[in-house]
Amino acid sequence: MQKISPKVFLFDMDGVIFDSMPAHARSWHLAFKDEGIEFSEYAVYLQEGATGSKTVNDVFMAQKGRVATQEEIDRIYARKCSYFEKCGEPKPMPVMDKVLNLLLANGKTIGLVTGSGQKSLFTTLNKYYPGIFIPERMVTAFDVKKGKPDPEPYLMGLQKCGVSAGEAVVVENAPMGVQAAKAAGIFTIAVNTGILDRQCLIDAGADVVLDSVSALLEYLSESL
């Protein structure tokens, strides 16, 4: 088991902190379907971590050969958010509370780096993880110009937590998130909590790939 001794752990949110990806996948699929555009739920998982505007633009470039207008971006993302809100309150990822408490018990600082702009999720953070995720150590879709897989979100996460790349570890579940973290020079643990083939996370460059949050808890218990 490789020993790690970072000061800071930076977590993605959807599919890591919350078991919210099935709702996101369904919502994006329906929002694009309303536009007459096919966008599968599997494709949503591959796109996870990107900002809403990047997701819309990527789909438009692939299927229409052009970027979307701002009106199109706003309309599709608003519809996606509406579908997501109808899915009900997101549930915390099982065992994640034990992971976070283990890190705190070992004196680690916890940050959040997400491509999400879903306001309901930020409200729910304090309900299920009170006092753990503070705004000063959070990077969201509202903070960056470039979303994952660009390194900007994780570079900003390092800055907000006051550490260098060598003093941090990222916990991700998405290929784009892994690419962003590795581009920022950060040791990255990928936890495959969704429907993707784990090879996607290996190919994205993850240093460690685990198949569940329970496996993450075991890994951290042995490696810290």
Side-chain angles (χ1 to χ4, degrees):
M1 179 68 68
Q2 180 177 358
K3 288 291 182 180
I4 55 175
S5 56
K7 295 178 180 179
V8 169
F9 278 76
L10 298 173
F11 285 83
D12 178 38
M13 182 167 64
D14 293 300
V16 177
I17 298 300
F18 287 120
D19 188 12
S20 49
M21 275 308 298
H24 279 297
R26 179 68 174 163
S27 300
W28 273 119
H29 170 72
L30 291 174
F32 277 111
K33 185 178 179 180
D34 289 345
E35 296 284 321
I37 298 172
E38 176 58 33
F39 189 49
S40 71
E41 294 187 17
Y42 193 89
V44 177
Y45 277 83
L46 289 174
Q47 191 74 22
E48 184 198 346
T51 61
S53 60
K54 175 173 169 52
T55 296
V56 175
N57 271 325
D58 285 354
V59 173
F60 267 60
M61 283 299 298
Q63 299 197 29
K64 295 178 178 291
R66 65 172 178 86
V67 297
T69 66
Q70 190 60 51
E71 190 276 332
E72 287 169 329
I73 292 172
D74 293 343
R75 182 178 70 243
I76 295 171
Y77 190 66
R79 190 176 291 132
K80 180 264 174 181
C81 290
S82 177
Y83 280 124
F84 185 84
E85 299 299 335
K86 292 175 183 176
C87 291
E89 185 174 271
K91 301 300 181 184
M93 188 64 74
V95 189
M96 184 50 68
D97 58 336
K98 293 182 174 61
V99 169
L100 297 173
N101 286 329
L102 172 67
L103 295 179
L104 293 175
N106 280 271
K108 308 303 181 184
T109 296
I110 294 172
L112 187 78
V113 179
T114 176
S116 180
Q118 205 78 43
K119 294 180 180 179
S120 61
L121 287 176
F122 306 134
T123 301
T124 310
L125 273 172
N126 263 335
K127 176 178 179 179
Y128 290 107
Y129 304 103
I132 293 179
F133 296 101
I134 65 171
E136 291 78 13
R137 294 198 294 267
M138 290 171 56
V139 179
T140 76
F142 303 113
D143 298 311
V144 298
K145 294 180 179 179
K146 298 178 181 178
K148 304 171 186 177
D150 191 273
E152 182 191 12
Y154 279 112
L155 292 174
M156 185 175 292
L158 294 175
Q159 182 180 15
K160 285 195 170 191
C161 292
V163 294
S164 66
E167 297 173 307
V169 164
V170 164
V171 180
E172 265 284 355
N173 72 308
M176 281 193 175
V178 171
Q179 291 169 4
K182 293 304 297 178
I186 309 172
F187 186 92
T188 303
I189 302 170
V191 185
N192 193 18
T193 61
I195 62 176
L196 294 178
D197 186 322
R198 75 195 307 270
Q199 189 64 42
C200 294
L201 298 167
I202 296 171
D203 292 344
D207 296 285
V208 176
V209 178
L210 304 170
D211 292 322
S212 68
V213 179
S214 293
L216 173 65
L217 179 62
E218 181 179 355
Y219 174 86
L220 292 175
S221 297
E222 295 176 3
S223 60
L224 288 176

